[in-house]
Amino acid sequence: MTIPGSKGEILTNEICKVCTVRSVALFQDLDLEVFNKFHSAIREVEISKGDHLYTIGDPGERVFTIRQGIVKLVQYLPDGTQRIVRLLKQGDLAGIEATTGSTYQHDAIALTSIDTCAIPVKTVEMLAAEQPQLHRTLLTKWQDALSTSDSWLTRLSTGPSRYRVIRLLIWLAENTSEKAFYLPGREDIGNMLALTTETVSRTIADLRRDGLIELVRSDFARADLRKLKSIVKDATD
Amino acid sequence: MTIPGSKGEILTNEICKVCTVRSVALFQDLDLEVFNKFHSAIREVEISKGDHLYTIGDPGERVFTIRQGIVKLVQYLPDGTQRIVRLLKQGDLAGIEATTGSTYQHDAIALTSIDTCAIPVKTVEMLAAEQPQLHRTLLTKWQDALSTSDSWLTRLSTGPSRYRVIRLLIWLAENTSEKAFYLPGREDIGNMLALTTETVSRTIADLRRDGLIELVRSDFARADLRKLKSIVKDATD
DNA sequence: ATGGAAAATTGATAATCCTCAATGCGAGTC
DNA sequence: GACTCGCATTGAGGATTATCAATTTTCCAT
C-alpha cells in the first residue's frame, strides 16, 4: 500500500475508523460523518529510527498523532549541546504548536521506528469549525504537554544522578504496556537528565548490579518498580 | 476602595477598560460591549510578598492575569524539596489549567507584591461562547507557558552553575522595562536552577567581582547584558 | 557465523558542587 | 542608635559528576 516514490507514506482510508489510538488522540469525540469529509487529507507516515518527523524552525504545516513508537523532542543550546525536553508516545500529539501557526519548536526525532498520522493544520481547522469539541481535545493536549514539561523540570532535572535515572526508568516503565520497556541510548538519557553519557552508563550499570533492573537487550529493560519507587519515595500507587 | 473585610480585594469597574496589560492579557480583542456584560465578576486582587495566589491541588475556579509583580510557580518532590518551574510576570496568566477544569498544578506564590485580576473560569467560558477569539488567546497563553517551560529545561537546567545563573539573569533583565531588575532571593534562584543557595550566592558574588552585574539592593540588580550574553554565547539581538 | 562500527562500560583524574559551619550585612523594631 | 532576625556570604572538606582515555560489548550487515 506504499505509494511509489513517497517513502513510507501511505494513504489513510479505513485506518482511522479502526485506529487503535483514536480514543486518546485528536479525533476522540468526532462524528464519523464529519470526520469522513476531511480525513482524505490525513496520511499515515512511517518513520524509521533516527529520522526526523519535523525540524526546528520549519513552518508548522502538520501535526502528528503518534500511533506507535517513541519520539524525542530536542532543543539546542548555542554551543550545540542538545537537550531532550520531552518524549512522545502512543496517543501523544507531535508538533502541536503548528495549530497556532507557529514554526516547529523542536527537532522531533524517532527513537524507535514510528507510526504516525500526519494531519494538515488546515484540516484540523476545518474539523474544528464543525466540531467545536475538537478545541477542547486540543486544549487537553496542550495541558498534557505542559504538565509533562513541569514534571521533567521537577522530577528529572533535580537531585543526584541515581535519582534522576530512577525517575526516568519509572516513567518509561509506566508508559509501556509490555513487561519490558524501551530503554533509550545512554547519550539520549544523558540529554534528558542533563548528565553525561558516562555518568548515565555507570548509574545504569550500578542499578543492574543492585538487581533493580535487568536488561533484556541494551535497549530493553525490566525493572522492579516497587523498589525503584521506594528509593525515590514515590507513591506506590 | 477596598471592601472592608475582604483583605486586598477591590471591585473592578472602570479598571479593565483602561487596564495597562489588557493588550497582552486575556481580553485583548474582546468587544467592550460583550465584555461589559460579564466583567462585574472580575475582581482585582492585591497580594503581598510571600502570599499564595493559589495552592497546588485546590479546585481551579479562577485564572489570574498578572498586572504587576512576579509570581513563582512551585512544585514539590516527595521529600519536600521544591522546584520553581516558572516565573510569571506582567501580562502572564496564572492558573491557566483551571480553564480545563483541572485543579491547580502548582503553588503560586508572590515574589514581590502582586496586582492581579481574578477571573472566574465560568466567566471565561461565557465570554468565550460569545467571543470565540478568546479561545485563540487562551491557546497563545498555553503556548507561551510551554515554550517557557521548554526554555527552562534547555537553558536553565543545563550546564555549569555560572551559565545557569547568567541565563537566568538575562531572562530577568530582558523581562523588565526598568534598568534595574528584580533579583530573587538566593534560595529561590537555587530552586529555579537546581542549585544550592550557597552555590548561587558564590556565583552571584563572583559575577559582581567580575563587574558583570551590580547590586542596587540585595534584590535589585543591573547587568552588563552584552557581556553576559557573550559568555553564554547567546545572540546579542 | 563473522567482521566492523557504534555503543556501552570502566578507569583515573580533575573540576564542580554540596554540606556543614561560621561570619557578615541590612532592613526593620524598639 | 542598638538590637535582632533573616539573608547573604565565605570557608573547608567531602561527595558527586565531568573529562579524557581505553576497553569491552553489542548489534548489524555481509
Side-chain angles (χ1 to χ4, degrees):
Chain A
M1 197 169 176
T2 304
I3 300 168
S6 82
K7 233 208 305 191
E9 295 198 8
I10 63 176
L11 285 173
T12 350
N13 44 31
E14 301 306 304
I15 292 176
C16 290
K17 291 181 198 163
V18 297
C19 176
T20 48
V21 299
R22 203 166 137 246
S23 64
V24 292
L26 213 48
F27 304 131
Q28 44 193 65
D29 329 290
L30 294 195
D31 292 349
L32 266 183
E33 220 176 309
V34 176
F35 181 59
N36 285 338
K37 282 170 61 183
F38 297 106
H39 96 313
S40 64
I42 299 174
R43 281 171 190 284
E44 191 183 12
V45 178
E46 288 169 7
I47 293 285
S48 44
K49 184 172 167 170
D51 285 353
H52 282 61
L53 195 54
Y54 54 80
T55 298
I56 188 169
D58 281 359
E61 288 164 354
R62 274 177 280 276
V63 298
F64 301 84
T65 294
I66 312 294
R67 291 162 46 82
Q68 188 63 246
I70 294 185
V71 172
K72 63 175 174 181
L73 298 188
V74 185
Q75 288 188 334
Y76 304 88
L77 287 170
D79 69 358
T81 59
Q82 47 175 282
R83 177 87 207 234
I84 299 176
V85 299
R86 240 168 298 146
L87 293 182
L88 303 180
K89 59 169 203 304
Q90 194 173 86
D92 285 336
L93 196 61
I96 188 173
E97 60 269 36
T99 59
T100 64
S102 161
T103 56
Y104 293 120
Q105 301 296 300
H106 318 88
D107 278 358
I109 302 174
L111 285 186
T112 64
S113 63
I114 298 294
D115 201 350
T116 75
C117 283
I119 309 156
V121 169
K122 287 188 181 169
T123 302
V124 175
E125 282 166 2
M126 290 187 290
L127 274 166
E130 301 211 16
Q131 304 266 287
Q133 66 267 39
L134 181 55
H135 282 127
R136 173 157 290 276
T137 305
L138 272 171
L139 278 184
T140 307
K141 294 299 174 188
W142 279 106
Q143 183 169 22
D144 287 349
L146 187 58
S147 160
T148 303
S149 196
D150 286 345
S151 169
W152 279 46
L153 276 166
T154 304
R155 301 162 49 93
L156 299 185
S157 304
T158 321
S161 59
R162 183 167 242 249
Y163 279 41
R164 295 192 201 183
V165 171
I166 288 178
R167 293 203 190 95
L168 178 63
L169 292 174
I170 293 173
W171 187 90
L172 289 167
E174 292 192 330
N175 283 278
T176 312
S177 41
E178 322 294 321
K179 327 98 220 155
F181 55 89
Y182 168 72
L183 188 66
R186 309 301 177 263
E187 187 175 358
D188 277 335
I189 295 180
N191 290 335
M192 296 177 212
L193 305 180
L195 298 170
T196 60
T197 307
E198 294 91 334
T199 299
V200 173
S201 177
R202 275 185 251 269
T203 307
I204 288 182
D206 284 347
L207 293 174
R208 287 175 69 187
R209 282 186 277 267
D210 295 346
L212 293 167
I213 63 173
E214 181 190 355
L215 294 200
V216 180
R217 277 177 18 200
S218 90
D219 62 348
F220 268 90
R222 249 185 277 275
D224 187 332
L225 267 187
R226 193 169 307 275
K227 281 186 195 164
L228 290 181
K229 285 187 177 182
S230 77
I231 292 174
V232 296
K233 294 174 194 61
D234 243 345
T236 326
D237 314 85
Chain B
M1 195 170 177
T2 305
I3 301 169
S6 83
K7 230 202 318 187
E9 295 198 7
I10 63 174
L11 285 173
T12 351
N13 45 30
E14 301 306 304
I15 293 176
C16 291
K17 291 182 196 161
V18 298
C19 176
T20 47
V21 299
R22 201 165 138 245
S23 65
V24 294
L26 213 48
F27 304 130
Q28 45 194 63
D29 328 291
L30 295 195
D31 292 350
L32 266 184
E33 220 176 309
V34 177
F35 181 59
N36 285 337
K37 283 169 59 182
F38 298 106
H39 97 312
S40 63
I42 300 173
R43 279 170 191 285
E44 193 182 12
V45 178
E46 289 169 7
I47 293 285
S48 43
K49 184 171 170 172
D51 286 351
H52 281 61
L53 196 52
Y54 53 80
T55 299
I56 189 170
D58 281 359
E61 289 163 354
R62 277 177 279 274
V63 297
F64 302 83
T65 294
I66 311 293
R67 289 161 49 82
Q68 187 63 246
I70 294 185
V71 172
K72 61 175 175 181
L73 297 187
V74 185
Q75 287 186 334
Y76 303 87
L77 286 170
D79 69 359
T81 59
Q82 48 175 282
R83 177 84 207 238
I84 298 175
V85 299
R86 239 167 298 146
L87 292 183
L88 302 181
K89 58 170 203 302
Q90 194 172 85
D92 285 337
L93 196 60
I96 188 174
E97 60 270 36
T99 60
T100 64
S102 162
T103 55
Y104 293 121
Q105 302 295 301
H106 319 88
D107 278 358
I109 302 173
L111 285 186
T112 63
S113 62
I114 299 294
D115 201 349
T116 76
C117 284
I119 308 155
V121 169
K122 288 188 179 169
T123 302
V124 175
E125 283 165 3
M126 290 187 290
L127 273 166
E130 300 211 18
Q131 302 269 288
Q133 65 268 38
L134 181 54
H135 282 127
R136 173 157 290 278
T137 305
L138 271 171
L139 277 184
T140 307
K141 294 300 173 185
W142 279 105
Q143 183 168 23
D144 287 349
L146 188 57
S147 160
T148 303
S149 194
D150 286 344
S151 168
W152 278 46
L153 275 166
T154 303
R155 301 163 49 93
L156 299 186
S157 305
T158 320
S161 59
R162 181 167 243 248
Y163 279 39
R164 296 193 201 182
V165 170
I166 288 178
R167 294 204 190 95
L168 177 63
L169 292 174
I170 292 173
W171 188 91
L172 289 166
E174 291 192 331
N175 283 278
T176 311
S177 42
E178 321 295 321
K179 327 97 219 152
F181 56 87
Y182 168 71
L183 188 65
R186 308 302 176 263
E187 187 175 358
D188 277 334
I189 295 180
N191 291 334
M192 296 176 212
L193 306 179
L195 299 170
T196 59
T197 306
E198 294 91 334
T199 298
V200 172
S201 177
R202 274 185 254 268
T203 307
I204 287 182
D206 284 346
L207 293 175
R208 288 175 69 187
R209 282 186 278 265
D210 295 347
L212 293 167
I213 62 173
E214 180 191 356
L215 296 200
V216 179
R217 275 176 17 197
S218 91
D219 61 348
F220 268 89
R222 249 183 278 274
D224 188 331
L225 266 186
R226 192 169 307 275
K227 281 187 193 164
L228 290 180
K229 285 188 176 181
S230 79
I231 292 174
V232 296
K233 294 173 193 64
D234 244 345
T236 326
D237 314 84

